[in-house]
Amino acid sequence: MHSRFSSRIFLAVASSVFIPSLAFAQTPNDPHYSEQWYLDAIHAPAAWDITTGSSSIIVAVLDTGLDLTHEDIAENLWTNTKEIAGNGKDDDANGFVDDVHGWDFIDDDNDSSPSPVSDSLPEAVSHGTLIAGEIGAVGNNHLGVSGVSWSVKIMPVRMLDDQGGGTEFDAANAIRYAVRNGAKVINLSFAGNEAHTALQNAVKDAYAKDVVVVAAMGNDARDTNTNPVYPACLRTTDDDWVIGVTAITAENQGTSFTNYGTICADVAAPGANIYGLSYKNTSEGYPDAYQGSWSGTSMASPLVAGAAALLFSEYPTLSAGDVRNIIKLSVDPVNIRGFSSGELGAGRLNIERALIMASAYAPAVEPSVTTSETSTKIDVATGSDDILRYSFAIFGAPAGVAPVVDVRRADGSEYAKFAAYSNNFRGGVRVATINNDHDQTPEIVTGAGESGGPHIRVFKAFGAVVHEFFAYDKASSHGVSVAVGDINDDGEDDIVTAVGAGVSQDVVVWSESGTEIFRFPASVFPTSSVLSVSTADIDADGADEVTITGMIDGIIHVAVYDNDGKFLVSFAPFPTAKSISVSAGDRDGDVIDDIFVSNMTLGNTVNVVTKIGALNGVFTLQDQLPSGNSTIGVDLDLDGRDDMMALESVDAGLVTLMSSDGKTVFGSWRAPTFGTTLGAFFTGW
């Protein structure tokens, strides 16, 4: 289902050309520096007279992994100081256990070094180490080579395998990991052919947080104006989120392989006959710590990433847009023989001139220490529009259309969109949210709708599958209802499922990974009833109760079961309703959830009921919602009381956001249509 990226590494051993470097004032004593012709070409030695970098600047290298013990870069390896190595705990609550030196999204572990096997491509295995060394090999240390930035912290994030390929979802995950853990620059030396939403949103969000994203243009000799590549071409007509880098030769001409284009290409940098670090592990068949004759836009991109790190080290208040503009305005001319003006970018990278020009954008100050964790929530006034960017509305496609999940921020802006099941499935997607990693972004639980099997999947919010399992007999075709809550009071969210319709009247509680915890029969309902589930802590004991809806004698009832499966009460909230929505929220901040019940087919009111079904309030939604709604509780203004987010069920799909007392409307916007708004599934965070 996921397309593969390829780093497209081009080696040019047969046509290797040695170009001796010139001598400048700040010449490092590294023994192989004379083979690094490209550093003189981009005026690195003169730039080092201004700054050699700062260890407070973090550059994330999203690639095939890094030789963590390499003699020439280990000193500049990023360390997550908030994580205690080897204790098996997520000490900094960033969602990753023991991620002391980055993360491996290929093997899903904390070892961000390559994992070569017998059929691995040697150039892929060493690729990430080379890239990292170009950016930040320790300079002037009498070892090997010099990086562009002598002092920097390299954050290794492995998201390409030992064949040089990876998925867009791993790339998106890796970008978000880098941003969350303090990276100021991200290097992406890979290229793909599709602008997937997950990757696009991750890059956009990084840019919005003033993280500079640098990407290789790719090596297919293609015009990206007509045949774009990604992530280098991710942008809008108004803003360019990525610095796209083309490759030039020692003769200052475009290489024969470089992609080009006036829209996506921002700057050119040397990308032929590059000498640098190599993954070394003699026992695995990799005896060399250094290697030459690398060629590709993969090699050009990290030179620009290193330049961005130097700019931030001297001018830490620069924005991502400032860095891009400074790099483009400070270039040297390129010999464009064979290309049109601008197709290789603005010109060849000149780091010295970039540092001089940057003084016009921001004062030079000592950079503040970058922590290994950044918060994704901010303190703002109650009801501020800004706060709505940090809550989420999750929509599951209704029956009859492609099985898409659409994730929106609570202000209506799109966060991600992905397919939950095979594209030919048309039964609808039921959705819930789970957050066992205790970060600020929920995972999404989906259940296949009517005509589907009881297939449960857990996704990262931008579409990467984390877990999946079948809740009942996989041959069943009645779909499955899902809810999430801490049923057994262990501090971890559980998944609750029901199916009904004569298949099974058991409600089952599962761990996130699909281990059954316990089950109980929904004895109140007849075996012919199709059940749906939700959860609520209605007695403030820390464990959620289970609420179930189903038909009794032709009337929809809500039944409440204790967290051990004991039946408590049932009631009929709308005697004539054909479809209802049940959710929960702590509306008054007393740590006891109220139950929100909405008529999904008629009216614009929400009944708030107690644990015994007694009416505890009625809210009238906007006049624009006369045709039924589903309502969920979400603390939109972070005041400790759940507000309400309501989706009009039938006509225009208006989403309305109201305060917990029902007196303030924070805003409203149109929900994604999926081609129809009728029957869309809805939850929030």
Side-chain angles (χ1 to χ4, degrees):
M1 181 174 70
H2 304 159
S3 65
R4 303 285 289 177
F5 289 124
S6 173
S7 55
R8 298 292 186 186
I9 306 161
F10 283 77
L11 301 180
V13 178
S15 58
S16 177
V17 178
F18 171 69
I19 304 296
S21 63
L22 303 176
F24 283 80
Q26 184 74 296
T27 302
N29 57 27
D30 305 286
H32 293 292
Y33 175 73
S34 62
E35 299 179 69
Q36 295 182 272
W37 67 268
Y38 50 89
L39 292 175
D40 287 344
I42 59 176
H43 299 264
W48 295 331
D49 282 337
I50 301 172
T51 180
T52 56
S54 168
S55 60
S56 65
I57 303 301
I58 301 171
V59 179
V61 177
L62 277 57
D63 215 278
T64 61
L66 170 63
D67 183 348
L68 303 178
T69 61
H70 196 289
E71 62 179 7
D72 211 10
I73 203 167
E75 182 181 326
N76 282 348
L77 179 63
W78 173 74
T79 298
N80 183 354
T81 57
K82 293 187 176 182
E83 196 73 21
I84 300 173
N87 70 350
K89 298 180 180 179
D90 182 13
D91 300 289
D92 60 355
N94 71 348
F96 300 88
V97 175
D98 287 342
D99 59 318
V100 177
H101 299 304
W103 193 257
D104 182 347
F105 285 93
I106 298 297
D107 295 330
D108 196 27
D109 61 33
N110 62 358
D111 183 2
S112 53
S113 62
S115 301
V117 293
S118 59
D119 62 348
S120 298
L121 295 177
E123 61 267 37
V125 172
S126 287
H127 190 260
T129 301
L130 173 79
I131 299 306
E134 286 187 70
I135 296 168
V138 181
N140 212 40
N141 65 343
H142 294 281
L143 288 173
V145 298
S146 175
V148 171
S149 183
W150 296 0
S151 296
V152 70
K153 288 304 176 186
I154 298 295
M155 177 192 293
V157 188
R158 185 171 181 251
M159 44 69 60
L160 295 173
D161 61 25
D162 56 12
Q163 300 291 322
T167 70
E168 70 275 10
F169 295 111
D170 283 342
N173 280 333
I175 291 169
R176 294 192 185 280
Y177 174 91
V179 172
R180 179 172 295 164
N181 288 282
K184 285 296 293 179
V185 183
I186 298 174
N187 185 81
L188 307 176
S189 284
F190 57 84
N193 295 321
E194 298 180 60
H196 295 277
T197 301
L199 180 60
Q200 178 174 319
N201 287 338
V203 169
K204 178 182 178 182
D205 288 348
Y207 181 80
K209 292 178 173 64
D210 281 326
V211 176
V212 171
V213 179
V214 184
M217 284 285 290
N219 309 315
D220 305 311
R222 75 167 76 166
D223 182 351
T224 59
N225 284 0
T226 57
N227 193 6
V229 294
Y230 303 98
C233 290
L234 289 176
R235 59 174 298 154
T236 66
T237 55
D238 299 319
D239 220 342
D240 185 358
W241 305 329
V242 180
I243 300 177
V245 185
T246 61
I248 57 172
T249 67
E251 292 76 28
N252 200 32
Q253 297 176 354
T255 64
S256 61
F257 53 77
T258 188
N259 290 343
Y260 57 92
T262 56
I263 298 173
C264 303
D266 293 293
V267 66
N273 303 310
I274 302 299
Y275 188 92
L277 306 190
S278 179
Y279 175 75
K280 181 179 180 181
N281 190 316
T282 303
S283 64
E284 294 177 338
Y286 296 85
D288 300 318
Y290 305 92
Q291 186 177 340
S293 298
W294 290 86
S295 292
T297 57
S298 282
M299 287 77 247
S301 177
L303 299 178
V304 178
L310 287 182
L311 285 167
F312 277 130
S313 71
E314 189 75 359
Y315 302 97
T317 62
L318 292 172
S319 70
D322 290 338
V323 171
R324 179 198 62 223
N325 291 337
I326 290 166
I327 287 174
K328 292 180 69 171
L329 290 170
S330 59
V331 295
D332 290 327
V334 174
N335 183 339
I336 62 171
R337 187 177 65 186
F339 298 89
S340 298
S341 177
E343 287 186 331
L344 293 174
R348 185 185 66 211
L349 176 68
N350 183 325
I351 306 177
E352 177 196 17
R353 191 179 295 136
L355 283 165
I356 294 170
M357 184 173 291
S359 63
Y361 284 76
V365 296
E366 286 298 316
S368 59
V369 176
T370 304
T371 64
S372 61
E373 178 182 28
T374 56
S375 173
T376 57
K377 286 201 174 185
I378 54 175
D379 293 323
V380 296
T382 298
S384 166
D385 289 341
D386 287 341
I387 204 66
L388 303 182
R389 296 187 294 115
Y390 301 102
S391 298
F392 296 88
I394 296 96
F395 301 88
V401 297
V404 172
V405 173
D406 195 311
V407 185
R408 301 293 176 100
R409 297 179 182 86
D411 63 4
S413 60
E414 184 176 294
Y415 182 82
K417 183 187 293 183
F418 58 89
Y421 300 103
S422 172
N423 197 50
N424 59 7
F425 175 63
R426 292 294 186 270
V429 183
R430 293 157 175 166
V431 288
T433 59
I434 194 167
N435 192 32
N436 283 335
D437 53 11
H438 307 292
D439 63 2
Q440 304 296 345
T441 306
E443 282 69 55
I444 298 168
V445 182
T446 66
E450 297 295 329
S451 79
H455 193 182
I456 304 296
R457 305 187 87 182
V458 182
F459 296 87
K460 290 290 188 181
F462 32 86
V465 177
V466 181
H467 304 290
E468 58 183 321
F469 59 93
F470 285 87
Y472 303 93
D473 181 359
K474 67 172 61 178
S476 166
S477 59
H478 296 273
V480 60
S481 177
V482 293
V484 168
D486 183 3
I487 307 302
N488 57 358
D489 192 21
D490 64 351
E492 295 291 307
D493 286 336
D494 309 307
I495 298 173
V496 186
T497 64
V499 58
V503 179
S504 171
Q505 291 302 111
D506 281 351
V507 174
V508 187
V509 180
W510 309 84
S511 71
E512 180 180 342
S513 61
T515 300
E516 182 176 326
I517 299 174
F518 76 98
R519 65 174 61 210
F520 61 90
S523 53
V524 169
F525 298 100
T527 57
S528 60
S529 181
V530 176
L531 307 180
S532 64
V533 290
S534 58
T535 62
D537 184 5
I538 59 176
D539 53 12
D541 65 352
D544 285 338
E545 284 67 47
V546 179
T547 58
I548 308 172
T549 61
M551 301 292 288
I552 301 176
D553 297 329
I555 298 174
I556 295 180
H557 279 67
V558 177
V560 183
Y561 287 79
D562 204 350
N563 64 320
D564 60 1
K566 178 183 176 182
F567 170 70
L568 297 178
V569 68
S570 68
F571 55 92
F574 298 104
T576 60
K578 296 180 180 179
S579 179
I580 65 173
S581 164
V582 178
S583 63
D586 181 9
R587 186 174 54 88
D588 49 13
D590 63 356
V591 199
I592 299 176
D593 282 340
D594 300 300
I595 301 174
F596 299 156
V597 185
S598 305
N599 189 330
M600 295 181 67
T601 55
L602 182 65
N604 61 346
T605 61
V606 179
N607 286 357
V608 181
V609 299
T610 68
K611 62 184 179 180
I612 61 172
L615 193 64
N616 192 33
V618 177
F619 288 101
T620 301
L621 302 175
Q622 286 185 315
D623 292 339
Q624 296 98 304
L625 296 176
S627 54
N629 68 87
S630 55
T631 303
I632 55 178
V634 178
D635 186 3
L636 297 167
D637 52 13
L638 301 184
D639 66 351
R641 295 174 295 181
D642 281 334
D643 308 295
M644 290 178 291
M645 193 183 303
L647 169 66
E648 184 183 17
S649 303
V650 177
D651 292 329
L654 190 71
V655 176
T656 302
L657 294 83
M658 298 180 66
S659 62
S660 56
D661 59 7
K663 296 179 180 179
T664 303
V665 176
F666 292 139
S668 61
W669 41 272
R670 297 293 174 189
T673 65
F674 304 105
T676 175
T677 58
L678 182 62
F681 297 94
F682 177 50
T683 190
W685 173 261

